């Protein structure tokens, strides 16, 4: 019987297995028609955040979903993309780490171009999940946003950044 609880258990098992075949199965399951119709699909997509060593195919899938411009789970895919990029960048050298760097750059460019507060919040969270301290000046530039949610996401995005600028920004946010 195909139930949401059953899909959740299977997704979690595949996430923690983490090898290439498990990641391929994970993406296939998330991308299945049944899962995409489920009202909880955003939570299923966010599980991609927990893949510790995402491969290039997993990164490509999450990136595609995050920047699709459509779909009710695009924000969840953005959050997952930040985490996946962070995990990819932790891998020693190679294509996967380089792809993680490219993704972080793409997230920063998208934030720079974002004009809607909702989009800014999602991208700030994604960069925070990516631990993108190299883009702290961009993140800090949103600390004076009119939208309190954007300012809150600036704080969240700086949570892992030990720099003096991040600390000063966090102390001055209101």
């Amino acid at each position: 019987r195909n139930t949401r609880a059953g899909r959740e258990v299977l997704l979690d098992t595949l996430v923690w297995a983490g090898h290439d075949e498990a990641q391929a199965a994970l993406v296939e399951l998330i991308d299945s028609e049944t899962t995409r119709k489920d009202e909880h699909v955003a939570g299923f997509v966010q599980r991609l955040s927990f893949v510790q060593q995402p491969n290039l195919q997993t990164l490509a899938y999450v990136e595609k979903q995050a920047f699709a411009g459509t779909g009710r789970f695009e924000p969840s895919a953005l959050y997952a993309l930040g985490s996946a990029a962070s995990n990819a960048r932790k891998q020693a050298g190679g294509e996967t780490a380089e792809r993680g760097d490219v993704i972080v750059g793409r997230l920063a460019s998208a934030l720079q171009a974002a004009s809607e507060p909702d989009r800014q919040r999602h991208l700030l969270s994604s960069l925070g999940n990516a631990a993108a301290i190299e883009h702290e000046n961009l993140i800090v530039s949103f600390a004076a946003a009119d939208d309190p949610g954007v300012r809150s996401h600036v704080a969240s995005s700086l949570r892992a950044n030990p720099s003096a600028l991040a600390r000063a920004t966090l102390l001055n946010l209101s």
Side-chain angles (χ1 to χ4, degrees):
R1 190 171 135 165
N2 192 357
T3 66
R4 180 171 50 93
R7 282 191 298 279
E8 289 174 345
V9 169
L10 184 54
L11 288 168
D12 290 342
T13 302
L14 293 169
V15 164
W16 296 119
H19 53 74
D20 288 344
E21 293 82 8
Q23 289 184 52
L26 178 63
V27 167
E28 184 178 335
L29 182 59
I30 291 171
D31 209 34
S32 72
E33 186 176 334
T34 302
T35 301
R36 291 176 76 82
K37 287 181 181 178
D38 191 298
E39 65 183 286
H40 297 92
V41 68
F44 299 154
V45 171
Q46 281 188 314
R47 281 179 166 77
L48 292 165
S49 300
F50 300 110
V51 175
Q52 294 300 303
Q53 295 185 331
N55 61 33
L56 291 172
Q57 293 77 21
T58 300
L59 289 171
Y61 175 77
V62 182
E63 186 175 13
K64 178 183 172 189
Q65 299 310 313
F67 288 105
T70 58
R72 66 185 195 269
F73 59 86
E74 185 177 349
S76 296
L78 277 169
Y79 301 150
L81 183 60
S83 295
S86 176
N87 289 335
R89 290 170 17 140
K90 292 174 188 171
Q91 297 179 37
E95 285 183 81
T96 305
E98 289 173 14
R99 188 67 205 152
D101 289 337
V102 169
I103 289 169
V104 169
R106 186 173 183 196
L107 290 167
S109 294
L111 176 59
Q112 212 163 21
S115 59
E116 296 295 319
D118 274 349
R119 183 83 171 150
Q120 292 169 348
R121 286 191 295 268
H122 300 312
L123 288 161
L124 283 163
S125 291
S126 188
L127 282 170
N129 286 349
I133 61 174
E134 69 270 30
H135 295 290
E136 77 175 347
N137 288 329
L138 173 62
I139 293 168
V140 167
S141 73
F142 287 85
D146 291 334
D147 185 271
V150 170
R151 294 193 308 271
S152 174
H153 280 75
V154 166
S156 178
S157 295
L158 295 173
R159 70 189 180 275
N161 187 335
S163 77
L165 176 60
R167 213 171 21 258
T169 302
L170 290 170
L171 291 172
N172 291 312
L173 275 171
S174 59

